[in-house]
Amino acid sequence: MTLETVTLWRPVGPEELALIRDAGMRAFPSRLPGQPIFYPVVTEEYAVKIARDWNVRDSGAGYVTRFEVRADFLARYPVEEAGGRAHREYWIPAEDLDSFNAAIVGTIEVTHEFG
């Protein structure tokens, strides 16, 4: 039996990337107060746009991460549209992030860097 996974992307700034590296590239850091939802996105193009256009502006650098998540875990969350069909993402409540991290298969990879 093959484990089904879904490829997701997450645009991050340098501080979040440092925390991901501290976790051995296997987990995303806990949300900060005022961040009730974790937003992984469903397309690389959307992640690139956020990393390049927003993360660079806000923190001087932007990175796109790619990772695999167990499909059975993601099945409990709908894909949400954040302002249009090209902007699709999952909305994972902060209290579910530990379970989300446990559902990551393999490691988190950096696929793009912007500065």
Side-chain angles (χ1 to χ4, degrees):
M1 184 169 142
T2 304
L3 181 65
E4 287 188 48
T5 62
V6 175
T7 302
L8 295 176
W9 289 265
R10 169 111 176 125
V12 299
E15 290 180 15
E16 187 170 355
L17 182 58
L19 295 171
I20 294 166
R21 286 186 170 138
D22 288 348
M25 301 301 283
R26 295 195 171 275
F28 290 94
S30 297
R31 302 291 82 203
L32 298 171
Q35 294 178 327
I37 298 185
F38 176 74
Y39 303 94
V41 304
V42 302
T43 67
E44 185 174 26
E45 295 79 14
Y46 182 31
V48 164
K49 178 178 180 156
I50 295 168
R52 184 190 61 224
D53 298 350
W54 300 348
N55 292 109
V56 172
R57 181 193 69 212
D58 294 343
S59 60
Y63 306 89
V64 174
T65 61
R66 178 181 63 211
F67 51 98
E68 300 289 324
V69 179
R70 286 189 355 251
D72 63 333
F73 176 84
L74 284 177
R76 62 181 95 162
Y77 303 96
V79 174
E80 305 286 350
E81 285 188 11
R85 293 184 60 161
H87 302 152
R88 297 176 46 189
E89 56 198 25
Y90 284 93
W91 295 355
I92 310 297
E95 60 268 18
D96 295 352
L97 188 56
D98 287 342
S99 297
F100 179 89
N101 283 331
I104 293 174
V105 176
T107 58
I108 300 165
E109 303 172 67
V110 175
T111 60
H112 299 280
E113 299 181 24
F114 303 96

